[in-house]
Amino acid sequence: MHSGTFGGYFPLELNLSEQHYYPTARGYRSARSALYHLLTEKKPQRLWLPRLICQSVIEAVKAARVEIAWYTLDEALFPQLPAVLAESDFVLFVDYMGHCQPQKEKLMRLYPAGRIIFDHSQSFYNAPEPVFATVYSPRKFFGVADGGLLVTQDAMPLPASQDRDSFTRMTHLLLQHEYGTRAGYEDFQHAETALEDIEASGMSALTEKLLLSVNYQKIKAVRQRNYMFLRQQLASINASPFCADDIAGPFCYPLYFTGKKLRPRLIEQGIFVASYWQEVLSHVSEKSVEADYVNYMVPLPCDQRYEIADLKVMCQRVLDVIADK
Ligand SMILES: Cc1ncc(COP(=O)(O)O)c(C=O)c1O
């Protein structure tokens, strides 16, 4: 159904499919907005959060006025939790870079599924589990400005408002086509800052249509191919135990390298690797699993933008940085 007017100019051409990738998911402005709405509606008394987490999740939980209990991770990235959860406790666990299927299964064996929230912000292609809720943040995988998904069996009302400002946060997506990634970086940062206000807000119509136009299967296959190529090329320098070969549409290729600080050198070489969750360092000990992860885990891109020929260039630059060439 269109807007009731006829003629005039055309909108952006999109190739809408009939159905979303997760048809039962509710759409929000961001993953944090989805989590905030869930928590304000369900009002758990206390939520166990990993120390290794994005600040925006912490802000959403605080804004929902839910008490936080912190847990650390062991070497296998498994939560160090009490054997039995208190009556009204819930646990949130992040599927880190999509590599935590075994950890999620163990958690579901040990704790009541109805009190577990999985954060799939870094694992878009991992389907929701039969737990209380799963949240997704599609823009970590696709070129959209915002958007969050919530999957839960529980009844939830619609969010009170709906985002209609997505179009004001899209400059970087457009600039990138014309002028490349560096040109859009400042706008990208503005767009991210604009998502900091936490409220329960539904997904914009624009983002919804963009997400309906994504070729999910193709992107999944390209990501898998690229990940496998990087895995083969860089295995000898990668100390990460989290490099399984069966990751669905991977978020990135996680390169764990403690020899030197790779990130600034890679950025100099035009490899824009994100630096996740620096704030975590002020809450954990220097030698912890969490600090090592923040300091040394480098998320190399393996996404749909790249052909194998591009990745060969990237691998060579990574190897040159490591060899100090
Ligand atoms: C693990 C994790 N969960 C949730 C979020 C928040 O997602 P959004 O920016 O869509 O609110 C982030 C943000 O980067 C994240 O890294």
Side-chain angles (χ1 to χ4, degrees):
M1 186 57 183
H2 59 77
S3 60
T5 56
F6 299 89
Y9 62 89
F10 291 95
L12 186 67
E13 286 301 340
L14 296 169
N15 190 10
L16 305 187
S17 61
E18 301 273 299
Q19 193 167 278
H20 281 291
Y21 191 72
Y22 291 118
T24 62
R26 293 145 208 270
Y28 287 85
R29 182 171 74 174
S30 60
R32 71 198 87 167
S33 173
L35 180 64
Y36 171 80
H37 196 211
L38 179 78
L39 296 177
T40 49
E41 284 301 319
K42 301 297 162 193
K43 299 187 176 60
Q45 209 161 63
R46 197 162 70 145
L47 180 64
W48 285 90
L49 280 188
R51 281 285 183 198
L52 185 61
I53 188 91
C54 173
Q55 187 62 28
S56 61
V57 172
I58 301 172
E59 298 303 334
V61 179
K62 285 184 176 165
R65 298 181 186 281
V66 172
E67 186 191 337
I68 298 175
W70 298 102
Y71 67 81
T72 53
L73 298 165
D74 67 14
E75 295 278 332
L77 296 185
F78 191 74
Q80 308 283 89
L81 288 163
V84 179
L85 289 183
E87 191 68 18
S88 50
D89 278 4
F90 282 65
V91 183
L92 181 143
F93 178 71
V94 178
D95 189 349
Y96 296 100
M97 300 189 184
H99 288 252
C100 296
Q101 194 60 28
Q103 293 84 335
K104 288 189 295 179
E105 282 165 18
K106 188 170 167 191
L107 267 175
M108 289 188 287
R109 281 199 303 276
L110 292 177
Y111 299 100
R115 289 203 257 141
I116 297 175
I117 301 172
F118 285 139
D119 182 332
H120 282 197
S121 296
Q122 298 189 340
S123 57
F124 181 85
Y125 285 98
N126 283 348
E129 299 290 345
V131 290
F132 175 50
T134 309
V135 293
Y136 293 87
S137 180
R139 80 180 182 292
K140 318 260 185 318
F141 285 75
F142 316 108
V144 287
D146 45 50
L149 300 175
L150 172 70
V151 178
T152 177
Q153 303 301 328
D154 273 40
M156 288 272 294
L158 287 173
S161 68
Q162 193 191 337
D163 184 13
R164 302 192 77 183
D165 291 335
S166 243
F167 74 96
T168 65
R169 296 190 288 266
M170 290 192 67
T171 311
H172 60 295
L173 302 178
L174 305 173
L175 272 179
Q176 219 246 22
H177 278 293
E178 209 66 67
Y179 297 104
T181 306
R182 283 184 209 270
Y185 192 65
E186 212 179 307
D187 290 291
F188 165 67
Q189 285 179 313
H190 288 313
E192 290 292 310
T193 307
L195 295 177
E196 282 174 9
D197 285 345
I198 295 172
E199 54 177 317
S201 177
M203 184 181 285
S204 77
L206 175 56
T207 298
E208 184 164 2
K209 286 184 186 178
L210 288 168
L211 288 176
L212 275 170
S213 308
V214 170
N215 188 336
Y216 291 98
Q217 292 307 342
K218 184 171 165 206
I219 290 176
K220 183 180 182 190
V222 172
R223 282 177 173 268
Q224 268 160 240
R225 177 201 69 193
N226 288 350
Y227 171 89
M228 292 304 281
F229 178 78
L230 294 177
R231 188 172 177 269
Q232 182 206 341
Q233 297 293 305
L234 300 175
S236 63
I237 55 159
N238 192 357
S240 172
F242 302 103
C243 272
D245 59 2
D246 56 352
I247 307 300
F251 174 65
C252 67
Y253 173 73
L255 174 62
Y256 186 74
F257 186 81
T258 55
K260 62 178 77 148
K261 295 239 166 179
L262 289 185
R263 218 173 260 123
R265 300 280 314 280
L266 292 176
I267 291 171
E268 270 168 34
Q269 297 304 314
I271 305 174
F272 301 119
V273 281
S275 153
Y276 290 117
W277 314 337
Q278 291 298 314
E279 312 84 4
V280 167
L281 296 177
S282 50
H283 304 293
V284 296
S285 74
E286 230 173 277
K287 296 264 173 287
S288 59
V289 169
E290 288 80 4
D292 280 353
Y293 192 97
V294 171
N295 286 324
Y296 302 119
M297 193 67 87
V298 177
L300 290 177
C302 68
D303 56 73
Q304 58 272 25
R305 289 169 287 184
Y306 309 112
E307 300 292 338
I308 295 295
D310 303 313
L311 297 180
K312 283 186 182 159
V313 174
M314 184 177 80
C315 284
Q316 196 51 54
R317 289 191 200 169
V318 171
L319 295 170
D320 285 350
V321 163
I322 284 174
D324 264 331
K325 278 194 196 158

